[in-house]
Every structure is written in C-alpha cells, then in structure tokens.
Amino acid sequence: MQEIASLLLHWFDENKRSLPFRTHKTPYRVWVSEVMLQQTRVAAVLPYYERFMRQLPTVQALAACPPEKLEKLWEGLGYYSRARNLQKAAQIVVQQYDGELPASYEALRALPGVGDYTAGAVASLAFGLPCVAVDGNVLRVWSRLHADDSNVLVPATKRRMAAQIQAVQPAQRPGDFNEALMELGALICLPNGEPLCTQCPWHTLCLARKAGKQAQLPVKTPRRSRKALSYTVALVLRRGPHPACLLEKRPSTGLLAGLWQPILLEGELDLPAVYNALAARGIHGLSREAHPLDTARHVFTHLEWHMTGWCLWCEDGCSAPDGCVFAALEQLETQYAVPNAFKAYRQHAENLLFASCKTEADRL
Ligand code: ADE
C-alpha cells in the first residue's frame, strides 16, 4: 500500500507539468482551475485560465463581474452553468466568508456548482486536507491498477474506489497524491488505446498490465443513446455601411441559457419555410438572395443537434426584432458569447462580414 503512494509521489515530483495553477497556488486559483478542468482538457483550458485570472484575479472581482463579461470569458469552454455557479459561489464567499474560500470539505461542498470532486480537489490541493478527488481519469487509473472491472459509471463503484484511494493517501501529502493520480491519467495511463505502461511508476504493481487488460479498462456501460434534434440556422447578414449579423438571445433557463446564436429554427427547413419562419418572428426586409450552408452537428451530454443552414441578406435599414441584435464583426468578437455549437456558422458570418467591411472601405 505504502509503495503505491511512494512510487507515485516520486514519479510526480520528477515528471509533473509546470502549470499556472500549480506554480502559484491559492485557493481561488485552484478552485477556478478545477472547475474549468471538469469536462475540459488541460491544453484547452490553459489560455482560458490565464485570461480569466488576468481579468478576474480575486474572488471579489469574480463576484462583481457583469454576467455578459463572464459569459464572454467562458465562451467556447462549454457547460456554461459552471461559470454561473462559479460566480454565485464567489458571491457567497464574499458575503459569508469575507472573501476567503472556506478550508472545509463540507463548507466547500455546499457552494453552488461544487460537487464531491471539486470540494475534494480544493480541500486537498489548496488546504492540505485529507480528502480524495475522484474524476474519470482517477477511476481509469485505479481500475487498471487493481484490474477492477466494475462499471465506473455506477455510483457505488466510485464510492468504493474513493474509499480505497482514501486508505492509501499519505497524510503528509493528500493534495499531491490526488494531483499525481490525475497527472498519471493525463500523461501515462491514457484513455482510448494504449497507455504508456513502460513509463509508468506502477508498471510492476499494475494488475491490468499483468493480465494484459489495460486497454479493456475501465468498464463503462454504454450510455443511453442521445436524442437527436434537427434545426435550421438562418444566418441573416446586413450589408451596407454597417455590416452585421443578426443574433438572438437564448432563453434565460435551460441549455446554453442566455447565450447568443444566429436565428435558430426548429426542424430541417427549405428556403420558403425559412422565409416564413423569419417573417413570423418579425424579421422582414430580406432580399431573395440566399445560399445554403454546410450541415453541422453538435453533441451535448444527452442531446445531439443536427443543423442545416441558410445564409440570407437584408438591407441597411432592417431592424432587429425584440430579443435580437445586429452584431458587427467587432462585437461578435468581443461582446456577444456564441456557443461552440455554432462555430462553423459563426466563422462563415465573420468571413462574410469581413469581406463586406472591406468592400465598403474600398467603395469609400
Ligand atoms: N484535471 C483536473 N484537475 C487537474 C489537475 N490539478 N492537474 C492535472 N489534471 C487535472
């Protein structure tokens, strides 16, 4: 048992990556990093993390941040409720804890958006408390070490493995031990395909390796199939001296709440149906010129969107109906948070707006 911990910690000390939330560790920095790292890989998180910390360096700054700015800082990271909960929690920390995150697993766990994993990670990494932090990477590493073929998606498996990890966690370095498990999962004990077993500090102990089963573990029962929804994106662009793209705000609750998107119509619509649907939404003054856009797909946890699209044009005088805005290129880049689901359509809009700005400049 002790060997498990000492081999791992020794490997971690020699091989851990230098990451911004490791080199300058405060409870706030650890908390934000752990929330960003849920569902998102380290490489994808890093630029977001650095920018977030520059703009919102303290709990107080996060608590007071205008929601649109927060959405923009989170744009592209996905799972936007993480950002909203982070801010709600920051407001509670300011009001109830004088701006200092509480050094207690239970108090952390009671904050919005803080589950078992995040509470354990902050408690151990930032405060040195003897808690575990078990995410999907840790479950993979642990299942392989013990050649344990229990389904890791079942809560009872997670509880059992968490208890086993707790039992070998060294009292002097609980945070390092947790982070070392994550690091092993990120660098050596890789998902999908062959892990780098010859470089693993546990290569002589690992039961999955001994049995040649490392590629079959962890066991995860197949997900229920996701519901597929089809949509038509109507990318409405305004030409003339003020080129812009029409955006609508999503409802304030539910999936991607409050974020901005091109006009999104239910179902797979042909062009006449698109004109009708837009007229029904109070969008008039469109020219008859239109071109079809590529299809796109976006996968959420429980849903999958299948999108087709049309690009349409309106003249300079055209106004945006309630709940919509005409966003110029610069506003699209700096002001309105558009989720990644629309990445291809947004890129198309930006290219056309850029060309439109250039044509306008040449004309003048
Ligand atoms: N994944 C989640 N938290 C992490 C951390 N602190 N280090 C590496 N990978 C992580």
Side-chain angles (χ1 to χ4, degrees), residues 228-232 267 296-298 304-308:
L229 297 175
S230 41
Y231 288 103
T232 302
R297 238 167 214 255
H298 193 79
E304 154 172 348
W305 283 3
H306 296 194
M307 292 170 280
T308 57

Side-chain angles (χ1 to χ4, degrees), residues 17 19 21-22 34 37 42 117 125 135 179 182-183:
R17 289 168 291 177
L19 298 171
F21 41 87
R22 289 184 180 163
E34 292 301 340
L37 287 163
V42 169
Y117 168 79
L125 270 59
D135 67 358
E179 209 165 14
M182 298 173 201
E183 197 72 343

Side-chain angles (χ1 to χ4, degrees), residues 325-346:
V325 292
F326 271 108
L329 184 56
E330 205 231 333
Q331 292 174 305
L332 206 48
E333 280 163 359
T334 61
Q335 187 175 342
Y336 295 104
V338 178
N340 259 351
F342 303 103
K343 196 170 180 177
Y345 299 109
R346 176 211 176 116

Side-chain angles (χ1 to χ4, degrees), residues 285-297:
L286 297 167
S287 80
R288 290 288 120 185
E289 176 194 351
H291 60 262
L293 299 171
D294 286 344
T295 59
R297 238 167 214 255

